Amino acid sequence: MEKHIEIERSIIKKYRKQIWSRFTSAIRDYKLIEAGDKIAVCISGGKDSMLLAMCMQHLKKYSKIPFEVEYIVMDPGYNEENRKRIVDNARVLNIPVEIFETQIFDVVELSGGAPCYLCARMRRGYLYRYAQKLGCNKIALGHHLDDMIETVLMSMLYAGEIKTMMPKLHSSNFEGMELIRPMYMVHEEDIIAWARYNDLHFIQCACKITEKIEQETGGSKRHEMKMLVKQLKKINPNFDLNIFTSLHNVNLDTVIGYRENGKRHSFLEYYDNIIINDATKKC
């Protein structure tokens, strides 16, 4: 059996519960793929996006929903070693990638400010633009459940707001384009386990700016959140799943304030109109 077939089978056999079922559940529950879609699977070369590409490739073969897929790699300025690793892994996994060049790393390095934010914005723009050029109406990114939890924690602890990473978004700058995250329910530890089981080695961040920042500061805020989640899971193993579930189960009756479509709202707007019939809720 060819290597890529063995790797694909491991997703739907050995890791069916941890990866495949969660992948298909996210697509179904959040309605990420519709008939007639043409989706650009965006591959950075890391474990998450490479697994996403494998899952999308398998889904394309057997899905009852007709859709098309393109596999694109944006090179933001990788060194030769990382570029070669991406190409080699794509060949092993039998993923027909299309690579296009940018100078994002050079631009970000010269800009100053918040490099990760700028880099993410620029990457997104280039990916949307290239996907549109290919006739796609959606781009798929490899963000997983842990990414979402870490985003929530960073927003609460450092931005003073409750804000999550959505499973899908309409683009505000590219009309008709949508971003989807099919790996939304998959745990990072299961992605790591899958890669190790198949003896696969993917590139890491590959950003020299991030490496420099981490050396100077001791780590990024996202890494800090990873460590926080790890510690809290020692106390409660379901800590991350409880946060995930709570974001699907917000009790607006007990929320002091919120923003909707850019407008701020307070519980005082409707407080005097609430009639409490349950005596146990009275002061």
Side-chain angles (χ1 to χ4, degrees):
M1 188 182 295
E2 292 185 63
K3 179 70 172 177
H4 71 90
I5 297 177
E6 292 180 5
I7 295 171
E8 185 175 336
R9 281 175 62 86
S10 72
I11 297 172
I12 60 172
K13 295 293 185 180
K14 182 174 178 61
Y15 293 98
R16 186 176 189 86
K17 181 179 179 181
Q18 301 96 320
I19 294 176
W20 184 250
S21 293
R22 289 177 173 271
F23 168 78
T24 55
S25 290
I27 290 173
R28 182 180 60 254
D29 293 355
Y30 301 122
K31 300 179 181 179
L32 302 183
I33 298 177
E34 298 172 302
D37 280 343
K38 187 172 184 181
I39 303 168
V41 177
C42 304
I43 301 171
S44 67
K47 64 187 189 313
D48 310 326
S49 61
M50 283 292 193
L51 175 57
L52 169 63
M54 290 291 288
C55 289
M56 291 292 287
Q57 195 172 53
H58 185 78
L59 183 68
K60 175 70 170 63
K61 293 178 185 177
Y62 302 104
S63 176
K64 294 179 181 179
I65 301 174
F67 68 97
E68 297 181 55
V69 185
E70 298 282 352
Y71 302 92
I72 62 175
V73 176
M74 182 202 65
D75 185 343
Y78 292 134
N79 60 39
E80 186 176 335
E81 181 181 353
N82 284 323
R83 171 77 174 243
K84 183 177 183 302
R85 177 67 63 85
I86 294 172
V87 173
D88 289 346
N89 281 332
R91 186 180 300 114
V92 169
L93 299 176
N94 196 35
I95 300 171
V97 297
E98 183 171 337
I99 302 176
F100 67 99
E101 317 285 339
T102 71
Q103 283 75 47
I104 289 178
F105 283 173
D106 291 338
V107 173
V108 171
E109 188 173 19
L110 293 172
S111 68
C116 293
Y117 174 77
L118 177 60
C119 184
R121 293 271 299 181
M122 292 182 67
R123 282 174 181 259
R124 196 74 54 81
Y126 274 109
L127 290 170
Y128 272 128
R129 193 172 293 111
Y130 198 81
Q132 273 191 330
K133 178 182 174 182
L134 295 175
C136 298
N137 65 309
K138 292 180 180 179
I139 64 171
L141 302 184
H143 296 123
H144 45 67
L145 188 145
D146 297 70
D147 288 324
M148 191 270 277
I149 300 301
E150 292 155 15
T151 298
V152 172
L153 291 175
M154 283 193 293
S155 295
M156 293 179 69
L157 299 179
Y158 289 104
E161 64 176 347
I162 298 176
K163 183 179 180 180
T164 188
M165 178 183 283
M166 299 294 286
K168 64 180 181 180
L169 289 169
H170 288 292
S171 172
S172 56
N173 297 314
F174 296 85
E175 187 177 355
M177 293 294 292
E178 193 174 359
L179 179 155
I180 61 173
R181 295 183 168 106
M183 305 290 286
Y184 200 73
M185 294 182 175
V186 180
H187 288 276
E188 184 177 26
E189 62 183 5
D190 292 323
I191 300 175
I192 294 171
W194 168 79
R196 287 176 177 169
Y197 176 80
N198 290 290
D199 194 27
L200 296 168
H201 305 279
F202 302 107
I203 69 170
Q204 302 298 318
C205 175
C207 175
K208 59 185 179 181
I209 304 170
T210 300
E211 290 177 357
K212 181 180 178 182
I213 291 174
E214 291 185 354
Q215 288 175 356
E216 294 175 351
T217 64
S220 66
K221 293 303 179 187
R222 187 165 292 278
H223 177 73
E224 184 181 315
M225 294 303 101
K226 283 184 183 292
M227 295 300 101
L228 176 60
V229 171
K230 186 176 181 180
Q231 290 299 315
L232 290 172
K233 286 188 72 173
K234 291 179 180 179
I235 301 171
N236 178 4
N238 293 320
F239 168 78
D240 53 347
L241 287 177
N242 286 341
I243 289 182
F244 181 83
T245 302
S246 70
L247 294 171
H248 294 72
N249 191 32
V250 177
N251 186 346
L252 289 178
D253 290 337
T254 63
V255 171
I256 297 173
Y258 63 95
R259 294 201 309 272
E260 185 176 26
N261 297 323
K263 183 179 179 181
R264 289 184 176 276
H265 297 272
S266 167
F267 80 104
L268 293 174
E269 295 174 22
Y270 52 82
Y271 177 75
D272 289 332
N273 295 325
I274 296 177
I275 300 175
I276 302 177
N277 295 317
D278 187 348
T280 60
K281 294 182 179 179
K282 293 181 178 180
C283 295

